[in-house]
Amino acid sequence: MQTLTRSLFLGGMAIAVLTAAVSQAEAQFKLSERFTDADGDLVADIPADESQWLDPDTLVFAYTPVEDPAVYAEVWDGFLEHMEAVTGKKVQFFPVQSNSAQIEAMRAGRLHVAGFNTGSNPLAVACAGYRPFTMMAAEDGSFGYEMEIITHPDSGIEEVEDIRGRTLTHTSETSNSGFKAPTALMASEFGMVSGEDYEVDFSGKHDNSVLGVANQDYLVATVANSVKNRMIDRGVIEADQLEVIYQSDTFPTTSYGTAHNLAPDLQEAIQEAFFSFDWEGSALAEEFGRNGEEQFIPITFQEHWAVIRQIDEANGVEYDCN
C-alpha cells in the first residue's frame, strides 16, 4: 500500500502525517530534546535551575479554539477571577485563533495556563513543555466525548461506506475527533485510506464544520459531539439539520495545565485554583453543564492520553519539534 505524506508546519514544528495501514504504524511518542523527563511520566520536568523558572506578574490563559474564542471569553471570566484570588496574579484571557498559535505561544513562553483539545495534547506536551493535570468531568467522575461523522438530510449519504469517492471535511490536523481518530478509523474499520479512497478538506474549527454541514456547505464532516451538542443547546443550529452516521467510543476531553517552566509554587497555586473552584451558579457550569460536566478532576497525560497516543501511532504521526 502506498503511503501518503503531508507535512504541517506549526511555528517551526513539523508534523508529518503518514497515512498508511494501521498495523504498519510504528511511531513512538517522545519529548523534544529541549526537555527532560527524569521520572518517566512522559511530560517535561520542571527545570532544576531556578534561574529558568517563570514567575510573571500576569498569567495568560487560553482555551482551545474549538469554536470562536469570543464565545468563551465571558464563560471563563468568573473562573479567571478565582484564579487571580488564589494565585495573587492578574490573569488575562488570550483569544487564540488556532491550535498551532496556542502551541507556539506556550512554546515561546507567552502562554502560561491553557486548555488544549484532545488531539493537540501530544504535540503540546512534546513540543511546548505543556504539563496537563486536570479535565472536566461529571459529578460521578465520568468524562469524555465521542467523535461523530455527520451529514445533512439531503446529502445522499446514509452510512460511512457512502463517503468513498467523496470529500470528508476535517477540522485541523491537530484535532483528535476532527482528524486523527476518523483517519485511523476509516482505514482500520472501513478499509478506506485518506487521499486514496476519499478526498479531504479542512474547516479549521469544529463549529465551522457543524455550521458548514448544517448549511449544506459541506457534505460530510468529523466533529466532537460535545461541541455539536452545545451549539444545538444554544440554538445556533437545529438538531434536524444534521444526521449522525457514526459515533465512536468515548475519548478524553480538553485537558488543562501549565507551562513546564512556571515556578513550582505557582504551578501548585494554579492547580489549587482549578480544584477549589465552585461550579455552582457559574458561567462554566451553565456552558459545560450542557455536556454534564460540573467539576475538575485530576488526570495524567501518561494514563488518560494513552488511547490518543495510540491513535497517533496508528496514523504514523511523527513530531519534529526542533
Side-chain angles (χ1 to χ4, degrees), residues 90-102:
K90 295 180 181 179
V91 183
Q92 176 183 341
F93 183 85
F94 173 33
V96 65
Q97 295 295 328
S98 69
N99 294 130
S100 58
Q102 186 181 23

Side-chain angles (χ1 to χ4, degrees), residues 5-301:
T5 304
R6 287 190 299 277
S7 291
L8 171 68
F9 292 93
L10 304 179
M13 297 166 285
I15 305 175
V17 182
L18 312 176
T19 305
V22 173
S23 61
Q24 297 175 357
E26 297 179 354
Q28 300 236 341
F29 178 83
K30 63 179 181 179
L31 295 178
S32 165
E33 294 179 356
R34 299 172 59 202
F35 310 120
T36 62
D37 179 21
D39 56 7
D41 63 356
L42 302 184
V43 299
D45 298 329
I46 298 173
D49 184 351
E50 294 186 20
S51 67
Q52 297 179 19
W53 296 351
L54 294 180
D55 191 15
D57 293 332
T58 299
L59 292 171
V60 178
F61 171 85
Y63 176 64
T64 179
V66 292
E67 297 183 67
D68 184 343
V71 173
Y72 290 100
E74 292 186 5
V75 169
W76 283 99
D77 188 56
F79 173 82
L80 298 186
E81 288 181 1
H82 173 70
M83 186 183 292
E84 288 183 337
V86 173
T87 63
K89 304 283 188 180
K90 295 180 181 179
V91 183
Q92 176 183 341
F93 183 85
F94 173 33
V96 65
Q97 295 295 328
S98 69
N99 294 130
S100 58
Q102 186 181 23
I103 292 169
E104 180 59 23
M106 181 165 284
R107 186 173 187 250
R110 300 190 303 271
L111 176 61
H112 310 117
V113 189
F116 280 101
N117 73 346
T118 305
S120 67
N121 263 252
L123 180 61
V125 170
C127 297
Y130 173 57
R131 291 170 55 89
F133 62 82
T134 189
M135 65 179 164
M136 294 180 182
E139 183 179 6
D140 63 2
S142 61
F143 57 84
Y145 70 97
E146 292 76 41
M147 180 275 292
E148 290 183 351
I149 302 178
I150 61 172
T151 188
H152 55 79
D154 299 322
S155 68
I157 293 179
E158 298 181 357
E159 57 186 23
V160 174
E161 179 59 37
D162 294 334
I163 297 173
R164 189 180 297 273
R166 303 191 185 188
T167 297
L168 177 61
T169 298
H170 296 303
T171 58
S172 67
E173 282 96 336
T174 55
S175 173
N176 177 63
S177 55
F179 175 67
K180 294 179 177 183
T183 300
L185 168 82
M186 294 289 282
S188 64
E189 189 167 334
F190 297 100
M192 286 186 278
V193 177
S194 172
E196 290 185 2
D197 298 303
Y198 62 95
E199 299 301 317
V200 300
D201 63 8
F202 294 89
S203 71
K205 297 177 183 175
H206 288 266
D207 60 338
N208 291 344
S209 288
V210 173
L211 284 169
V213 172
N215 294 326
Q216 302 188 12
D217 295 322
Y218 299 138
L219 188 66
V220 59
T222 60
V223 299
N225 63 359
S226 55
V227 178
K228 182 204 73 177
N229 293 341
R230 291 199 299 268
M231 293 175 70
I232 292 172
D233 196 63
R234 290 199 303 266
V236 178
I237 60 165
E238 300 294 328
D240 61 7
Q241 291 180 267
L242 305 175
E243 290 186 352
V244 178
I245 62 171
Y246 184 90
Q247 185 179 92
S248 73
D249 292 335
T250 300
F251 296 114
T253 186
T254 297
S255 76
Y256 300 86
T258 57
H260 80 292
N261 55 346
L262 290 184
D265 288 348
L266 180 54
Q267 293 195 40
E268 290 180 6
I270 292 168
Q271 291 188 26
E272 180 186 346
F274 276 89
F275 295 131
S276 64
F277 180 69
D278 183 3
W279 281 66
E280 187 173 356
S282 69
L284 279 190
E286 180 180 357
E287 176 64 21
F288 293 99
R290 305 174 197 272
N291 298 330
E293 295 165 330
E294 50 186 290
Q295 65 171 324
F296 290 107
I297 62 169
I299 57 97
T300 69
F301 176 72

